[in-house]
Amino acid sequence: MSSKAIILVGGGTRGTRFRPLSLDIPKVLFPVAGRPIISHALSALATVPSIKEVLLIGFYDDSVFKDFLAESAKEFPQFTIKYLREYRALGTAGGLYHFRDVILTGHPYRLFVIHADVCSSFPLQEMLSMFEDKEAKAVILGTRVEPQFASNFGCIVMDPTTKKVIHYVEKPESHISNLINGGVYLFDRSIFDVIAAARNARAEQTREDPSEVEDGQEVLRLEQDILVRLAQADGFYVYETRGFWRQIKTAGSAVPANALYLQKLFQTDIDAPHLARASATIVPPVYIDPTASVDPTAKLGPNVSVGPRVRIGPGARVKEAILLEDTEVKHEACVLYSILARGVKVGAWARVEGSHITPADHSTVTFKNGVRVQSVSILAQDVVVGDEVRLQNCVVLPHKEIKSDVENEVIM
Ligand code: GTP
C-alpha cells in the first residue's frame, strides 16, 4: 500500500524570525550541514519504501523551488517531488484541505505531514510501526523539552500506558506537559473528514459572528483547529522520540541545527563525502564544500559548515559556524557561534563571535548585563568586517561595512 508525504514549507510572509538570512534565500532552502533544510526531511522520507510521492505545499512563487526540485529529482529517484502553491497562506491544515484531491490521487493509505522548519532524527519507521500496532488514525511525533520552554510549543498530555493523546493545547498559558508537538504527523485518509468538520464549525462561527473569524474560513491550522479535535476522538497516539529535535525558527537556530545534522552524519557515516577528516587542525564534524579553499594552518570545528568557493586564510579559527558561498575569512581571523551569509568578508585578525549555545537550547537569545541579545552573530549578505575589528552578539543587515568594534547590536 502506498503512502505520500507532505512538507509544509510556508511562504515569504512567514518565517520572519529567520531574517535577515531569509531576505536572500527562503528559510527552507537555507543550507545546514551543507544541504537545504528540507533535504534532511527528504532523506528521512527516502528511508520509507512505501512513499511514492512527496508534495511540498506553500505559498512561495513557483520559481523559488524550480532548481531545488530538479536537483532533488536526481537525488531521490525513489519518489516524485512536486510543489503545490497556495493562492494565499491557508494555514497548516488549510493547504492540505485545498489540495485534498491531488493528495488523495492514487489512493495513498497513509500520509506523513512534516513541518519544514523541524530539525530532527525523523523516526518515521518507528511512527509507522506505532501506527500499525495501534491501528491508529493519527500519530504525532512528541519530544520532551525543559519545562521552561514547553509553553512556547504545542503541549501534549498522553496516557503513559497506551500512549494515546488525551489532551492537546497549543502554546498553553500555564504548564500542562513538557511533551511537545514535534511537527511530524502520520495520518490516515480520515484526516480530511476531521478538517472538513473543523471547516464547517468555522463556517457556522462566521455566520454567527463574522468579526470573530479574522482570516476567513479557508484558513485552518493543524495545531489549533485539528489536533484538539483529534485528541477528543479515538485513535490519536504520540510517538515520543529520544532522538534529537529542535525547531529552526530564528536565524540563530540554524547554528544548533547545523551541529545536530553534522553530528548525525559523523556518527552514521564517518566517510561521508565532504566531511573533513580529524587532524591537528580539524575538530570533527566539519563539512567543507570541494570548491572551498581552506589554508592548512586554519583550525576548523567542531560543527562547522563551509560552503562553495569560501576562502579561509592562514591561522584563522572557525568554530560552531555556517559560512555560506563566497565568504572570506582572512588570516588570523576568528569566527565563533556565527553565520556568515553569501559574500561576507571578515578582515585579518578580526573576531566575529556569538555566545556558547548548545543544541538542546531552545532559545537563541541570551542576556548580557540585563540586555536581551542574540546568542549567535549573524552577518547578512556582503557584509564586510574590517581588519582587527571585534564584533560580538550582533545581527548585521546586508551590505554594511563594520569598521570599529561593536557588541550586542542590530546594525541596520
Ligand atoms: P509560528 O511558529 O507561530 O511563528 O508560525 P510559523 O509560520 O513560523 O510556524 P508554524 O509552526 O505555524 O508552521 C509550521 C510549518 O508550517 C512551518 O514550516 C511553516 O513554514 C509552515 N506553514 C505555516 N503556515 C503555513 C501556511 O499557511 N501554508 C503552508 N503551506 N505552510 C505553512
Side-chain angles (χ1 to χ4, degrees):
M1 272 176 284
S2 76
S3 315
K4 276 195 195 185
I6 293 115
I7 306 183
L8 297 167
V9 296
T13 53
R14 278 301 212 291
T16 50
R17 281 175 283 169
F18 205 71
R19 288 179 188 162
L21 298 174
S22 53
L23 295 174
D24 194 25
I25 179 170
K27 175 168 95 170
V28 294
L29 297 183
F30 186 84
V32 294
R35 310 175 66 210
I37 288 171
I38 39 172
S39 291
H40 295 281
L42 289 174
S43 292
L45 290 168
T47 65
V48 182
S50 63
I51 297 177
K52 302 290 175 232
E53 187 171 58
V54 180
L55 301 169
L56 313 182
I57 301 187
F59 47 98
Y60 287 104
D61 208 72
D62 292 292
S63 59
V64 165
F65 292 103
K66 198 168 159 270
D67 294 345
F68 175 78
L69 290 177
E71 285 298 311
S72 300
K74 285 187 243 152
E75 189 180 348
F76 302 103
Q78 55 274 74
F79 40 59
T80 54
I81 311 172
K82 289 183 194 148
Y83 175 59
L84 303 176
R85 184 184 177 185
E86 292 163 26
Y87 61 94
R88 57 177 274 218
L90 294 175
T92 41
L96 291 181
Y97 193 74
H98 183 73
F99 290 112
R100 62 193 179 284
D101 292 342
V102 187
I103 294 170
L104 292 176
T105 304
H107 304 282
Y109 168 61
R110 292 165 299 210
L111 303 167
F112 279 102
V113 176
I114 298 182
H115 290 181
D117 56 5
V118 160
C119 160
S120 168
S121 54
F122 292 113
L124 305 181
Q125 294 290 358
E126 291 85 340
M127 290 178 71
L128 263 175
S129 302
M130 176 178 249
F131 192 86
E132 302 295 340
D133 293 349
K134 304 278 188 190
E135 296 182 1
K137 290 185 184 330
V139 172
I140 182 173
L141 179 72
T143 185
R144 299 265 172 199
V145 294
E146 297 286 320
Q148 72 268 27
F149 296 121
S151 59
N152 297 329
F153 299 96
C155 294
I156 302 165
V157 180
M158 72 164 176
D159 178 323
T161 316
T162 61
K163 312 293 178 204
K164 193 172 172 306
V165 177
I166 44 186
H167 197 43
Y168 180 89
V169 187
E170 185 65 18
K171 300 185 180 133
E173 278 171 20
S174 54
H175 182 80
I176 62 159
S177 162
N178 72 333
L179 180 63
I180 60 145
N181 176 356
V184 181
Y185 316 93
L186 184 54
F187 296 124
D188 73 4
R189 298 158 61 94
S190 69
I191 188 63
F192 291 105
D193 302 333
V194 183
I195 303 179
R199 236 174 94 87
N200 291 342
R202 176 102 24 145
E204 189 61 34
Q205 203 184 347
T206 316
R207 263 194 299 279
E208 279 169 18
D209 184 356
S211 64
E212 280 288 299
V213 184
E214 304 158 11
D215 311 325
Q217 69 182 76
E218 295 247 86
V219 177
L220 289 167
R221 289 152 305 174
L222 269 173
E223 301 85 340
Q224 289 89 335
D225 300 313
I226 310 302
L227 301 184
V228 176
R229 275 171 185 273
L230 282 176
Q232 287 160 2
D234 259 352
F236 185 23
Y237 294 88
V238 52
Y239 176 79
E240 185 182 339
T241 180
R242 307 255 175 245
F244 67 86
W245 183 93
R246 67 163 297 132
Q247 269 184 320
I248 308 176
K249 290 287 184 197
T250 60
S253 58
V255 165
N258 182 58
L260 289 168
Y261 279 135
L262 282 176
Q263 283 161 20
K264 178 186 168 205
L265 188 63
F266 185 67
Q267 282 156 15
T268 53
D269 184 7
I270 198 169
D271 296 319
H274 317 320
L275 266 192
R277 293 208 169 260
S279 69
T281 52
I282 296 286
V283 186
V286 173
Y287 169 93
I288 304 179
D289 186 275
T291 59
S293 90
V294 179
D295 188 275
T297 62
K299 184 167 178 182
L300 271 57
N303 304 324
V304 169
S305 289
V306 176
R309 302 174 301 279
V310 168
R311 283 153 295 151
I312 301 180
R317 176 73 178 108
V318 183
K319 173 177 158 180
E320 304 282 350
I322 303 175
L323 277 50
L324 293 200
E325 68 255 41
D326 301 307
T327 55
E328 182 176 8
V329 178
K330 290 209 173 133
H331 66 90
E332 266 75 39
C334 187
V335 177
L336 311 175
Y337 295 99
S338 298
I339 300 176
L340 309 186
R342 176 148 58 100
V344 167
K345 306 242 172 320
V346 176
W349 294 98
R351 276 184 86 83
V352 173
E353 275 184 73
S355 304
H356 177 78
I357 172 173
T358 69
D361 263 327
H362 287 282
S363 165
T364 51
V365 290
T366 186
F367 286 86
K368 282 183 138 189
N369 306 327
V371 181
R372 206 178 127 97
V373 295
Q374 288 298 321
S375 321
V376 172
S377 278
I378 294 155
L379 277 51
Q381 192 187 333
D382 293 328
V383 165
V384 176
V385 179
D387 291 349
E388 296 174 33
V389 167
R390 181 161 186 262
L391 182 145
Q392 199 170 16
N393 297 93
C394 287
V395 176
V396 188
L397 296 202
H399 310 290
K400 298 285 160 204
E401 190 173 350
I402 311 296
K403 294 180 179 160
S404 54
D405 294 357
V406 54
E407 202 176 334
N408 308 338
E409 276 191 42
V410 176
I411 300 161
M412 299 201 249

